[in-house]
Amino acid sequence: MNTMVLNDGTVIPTVGFGVFQIPNDGSTYRAVRQALEIGYRHIDTAAAYFNEAEVGQAVRESGIPREEVFITTKLWVQDASYEAAKKAIQTSLDNLGLSYLDLYLIHQPMGDYVGAYRAMEEAYKEGKLKAIG
């Protein structure tokens, strides 16, 4: 699989499987499992998609080592402040059942996105987030 290197040295697969609009009714789980089985190694989700838990379950149950699957998720606008972002990061980690995220993005730069980014920088330094943007 082709990859590229982000500014901080993080290696990201250039092709990913996005789960926007896949229902949280087992459909996301099945889709992600199938995507992983056919070779995808980058899964893109977001708090606003309400399917992080199924993404995480599929990744954990895939048998593929965690370090071989790149997970991107995103902060939604209602969490765009320092304190709310800190909670949202942990909520995404808990929903996914993972100890770290490969890439965490601000979904839309609205609200206190500067405060949110400060929280993301702290989580990056703590090792909870491998790359941020």
Side-chain angles (χ1 to χ4, degrees):
M1 177 164 290
N2 293 332
T3 61
M4 60 187 287
V5 181
L6 301 177
N7 290 340
D8 68 353
T10 300
V11 177
I12 181 173
T14 56
V15 176
F17 183 77
V19 298
F20 177 58
Q21 293 187 334
I22 303 177
N24 189 29
D25 62 0
S27 299
T28 300
Y29 173 83
R30 289 187 301 276
V32 171
R33 283 296 300 267
Q34 289 174 351
L36 292 169
E37 287 171 14
I38 64 170
Y40 282 90
R41 291 298 180 267
H42 181 181
I43 308 298
D44 179 274
T45 187
Y49 303 169
F50 303 106
N51 56 17
E52 289 176 324
E54 288 192 21
V55 168
Q57 180 185 4
V59 170
R60 289 190 315 276
E61 293 179 3
S62 70
I64 299 167
R66 169 64 184 97
E67 61 275 4
E68 293 180 20
V69 181
F70 193 98
I71 303 295
T72 298
T73 195
K74 303 168 205 82
L75 178 82
W76 192 230
V77 293
Q78 80 271 3
D79 296 318
S81 72
Y82 175 77
E83 288 299 329
K86 286 177 67 168
K87 291 177 188 171
I89 292 164
Q90 190 58 54
T91 297
S92 286
L93 286 166
D94 293 344
N95 286 342
L96 287 156
L98 302 174
S99 61
Y100 69 92
L101 299 167
D102 297 285
L103 178 60
Y104 194 74
L105 301 171
I106 294 177
H107 208 142
Q108 295 178 352
M110 300 172 71
D112 179 18
Y113 56 87
V114 174
Y117 202 80
R118 278 191 312 119
M120 292 165 61
E121 288 176 319
E122 287 179 11
Y124 173 83
K125 290 174 185 170
E126 294 168 359
K128 293 179 179 180
L129 309 175
K130 299 298 181 186
I132 57 176

